[in-house]
Amino acid sequence: MLRIARRGIVVAACLALVAASSACSDEAPSSSGGGTAASVPGVTDTEIVLGTHMPLTGPAAAGYSKISPATKAYFEYVNANGGVHGRKIKYLVEDDGYNPANTQTLVRKLVLEDKVFAILNGLGTPTHTGVLDFLKTQEVPDLFVASGSRSWNQPEKYPTTFGFQPDYTVEGKIIADFVKKTYPGQVVCHMGQDDDFGRDSLAGVEQVLGADGVKEKQKYVTSNTNITPQIQAFKAAGCQVVISATIPAFTALSLGTAAKLGGFKPQWVPSSVGADYTTLSGLLGEGKVLLEGLVAPGYLPVSTDASNPWVQLYQKVNKEYNGDAPFDNNIMFGMTVGYLTVQALLKAGKDLTREGLISAVESGGFKNAAVGPYRYSASDHSGIGGMQMGRVTGGVQAAFGPVVQTDDGAGPVQEYTEAPATPTSNGIPAV
């Protein structure tokens, strides 16, 4: 995937989620997933309609609001070059504000009213969890969820849902393995979002360090920007390394709050979810000096690596189709999702059906900008299984060390040695 500002900026970036509720029933599927193009929802002879829910506003908007425009820009690039088997991709983006109640309403609209072919890259653990059963009932492909929750990897329970980024337990294991080797004997603590994001991350960390290897464990909720008690607890416990499962606003808030307490300067190792330097420096403003030395894993090339062919491709697309938006890891994320989606649609064939798309993803074998392997199969819907550590030095975030891979079970963290893939000459996947 996939980073306090001056005090006022952070508070603005962390606006509380609006409390709401939505009672929903599960209608029968609007149509069979099979059939001719004319009878497949969201598919015509000239068009494929996809939809998503994204936090374009609200507490998770910082950074993440750039993802869907980047995906859409890549689709427009593909459309301008002939589309997918002659069809152009139309991408409908709904703003849920990172509010689960909004997500349910908007996803139902996309499926029942807009008749999308698939839901793509819906963002957020608390938000997307609430639509899993509905999408299953409707037999809608639920592709490449923008969250590392292990909930997406339940092919028997949710056969149409697939993850994208490394799940949070895989990431937790990779971070903990790095911390164990790099900071031996130091006091390690954990800060986690109070949902599957934080819980799965901690589970991975404890698989490597043991429950006793994490001295202090704290949680936060996105509706409360006062995390001073949590940071004070870390300081009192003598934490030397803090691993955090935090969205960008709360990564920035954690660093800024620690700095205000004085005398507390642990090594911060956030999840890739909240570690993009461009996003964090924007939140921190003049306080971006606090990011120096920040260490975090990543599963895509770092956006500042101008020598990387994927960065070069995405910068070109970004300039031509995304208004030349400030280029960062969120744009890398969005365009990689777009590239992977086109790969899957091409693999599904010209006679496009929902079942055919699911089978195409399960067949696996995808290679693109991801530094580690995709794990897709009929029995594994989890997504990318490898990561590489990165560090901020002199205001530049750069990767270092080997790419490593693991699973969300008892498997070891080990080096991934396969050579990285490169994009095709025209930047569009081959069939």
Side-chain angles (χ1 to χ4, degrees):
M1 178 219 9
L2 307 136
R3 291 194 248 262
I4 188 173
R6 295 170 219 174
R7 298 170 191 170
I9 295 176
V10 169
V11 171
C14 298
L15 291 174
L17 288 174
V18 177
S21 62
S22 176
C24 301
S25 60
D26 291 330
E27 290 92 343
S30 54
S31 73
S32 167
T36 63
S39 66
V40 177
V43 178
T44 69
D45 290 339
T46 60
E47 189 175 67
I48 304 167
V49 184
L50 307 175
T52 193
H53 62 90
M54 281 278 164
L56 304 181
T57 58
Y64 295 168
S65 62
K66 299 176 71 172
I67 291 173
S68 55
T71 304
K72 192 170 188 175
Y74 183 76
F75 289 156
E76 290 176 358
Y77 174 71
V78 171
N79 291 343
N81 287 275
V84 178
H85 293 304
R87 297 184 176 103
K88 293 186 177 182
I89 301 173
K90 182 179 181 180
Y91 196 33
L92 305 180
V93 180
E94 296 286 354
D95 176 18
D96 66 6
Y98 206 60
N99 182 330
N102 292 343
T103 307
Q104 292 191 34
T105 299
L106 294 170
V107 168
R108 292 168 67 81
K109 172 186 175 293
L110 287 167
V111 172
L112 300 176
E113 297 179 25
D114 298 320
K115 308 292 185 182
V116 297
F117 175 58
I119 294 294
L120 173 65
N121 204 219
L123 189 145
T125 299
T127 49
H128 200 76
T129 298
V131 299
L132 287 177
D133 288 319
F134 171 71
L135 293 175
K136 173 185 176 180
T137 300
Q138 294 293 312
E139 300 176 5
V140 177
D142 181 19
L143 302 184
F144 318 141
V145 184
S147 155
S149 172
R150 287 184 290 176
S151 297
W152 326 138
N153 184 24
Q154 301 183 76
E156 292 186 2
K157 185 175 182 180
Y158 297 114
T160 69
T161 296
F162 295 82
F164 170 67
Q165 65 208 65
D167 74 51
Y168 299 133
T169 299
V170 164
E171 184 178 52
K173 288 175 65 177
I174 288 172
I175 290 175
D177 182 73
F178 171 79
V179 166
K180 184 176 182 178
K181 293 174 179 175
T182 309
Y183 310 108
Q186 294 200 17
V187 178
V188 179
C189 302
H190 187 273
M191 175 74 147
Q193 189 162 293
D194 192 14
D195 56 24
D196 285 355
F197 178 19
R199 289 189 290 273
D200 288 356
S201 168
L202 181 59
V205 169
E206 291 185 338
Q207 280 191 40
V208 174
L209 300 182
D212 294 338
V214 183
K215 184 174 181 181
E216 183 66 33
K217 306 164 191 176
Q218 290 290 321
K219 302 175 184 177
Y220 75 92
V221 293
T222 58
S223 58
N224 184 358
T225 60
N226 178 19
I227 60 168
T228 299
Q230 293 95 316
I231 304 302
Q232 287 176 327
F234 288 145
K235 183 177 181 181
C239 302
Q240 296 169 292
V241 178
V242 179
I243 298 170
S244 68
T246 45
I247 60 175
F250 280 82
T251 303
L253 192 58
S254 296
L255 270 64
T257 303
K260 286 194 296 181
L261 289 179
F264 182 49
K265 297 181 180 180
Q267 174 63 59
W268 294 95
V269 190
S271 160
S272 59
V273 167
D276 174 62
Y277 178 79
T278 302
T279 302
L280 292 175
S281 59
L283 286 167
L284 286 162
E286 293 177 355
K288 66 183 180 181
V289 65
L290 298 175
L291 297 171
E292 194 67 17
L294 185 83
V295 175
Y299 45 90
L300 299 172
V302 177
S303 62
T304 53
D305 183 2
S307 66
N308 186 279
W310 293 101
V311 173
Q312 293 168 0
L313 169 63
Y314 294 160
Q315 284 179 330
K316 176 179 182 293
V317 176
N318 185 61
K319 184 175 182 178
E320 295 177 2
Y321 293 92
N322 198 31
D324 203 17
F327 194 77
D328 63 9
N329 293 332
N330 296 295
I331 291 177
M332 289 291 298
F333 181 104
M335 292 199 183
T336 301
V337 167
Y339 194 99
L340 175 62
T341 302
V342 172
Q343 287 180 302
L345 290 170
L346 285 168
K347 201 171 190 179
K350 186 170 179 59
D351 295 327
L352 191 58
T353 65
R354 286 172 165 174
E355 292 94 336
L357 180 58
I358 297 299
S359 296
V361 179
E362 288 184 337
S363 68
F366 301 103
K367 294 180 185 295
N368 49 45
V371 299
Y374 285 96
R375 296 161 57 185
Y376 298 132
S377 70
S379 60
D380 193 331
H381 286 191
S382 62
I384 301 168
M387 307 186 83
Q388 185 177 24
M389 299 305 296
R391 179 183 288 115
V392 175
T393 305
V396 176
Q397 192 169 40
F400 67 91
V403 175
V404 295
Q405 63 177 332
T406 189
D407 57 24
D408 59 5
V413 177
Q414 56 190 6
E415 188 170 347
Y416 176 69
T417 57
E418 189 167 330
T422 56
T424 57
S425 58
N426 66 355
I428 297 174
V431 179

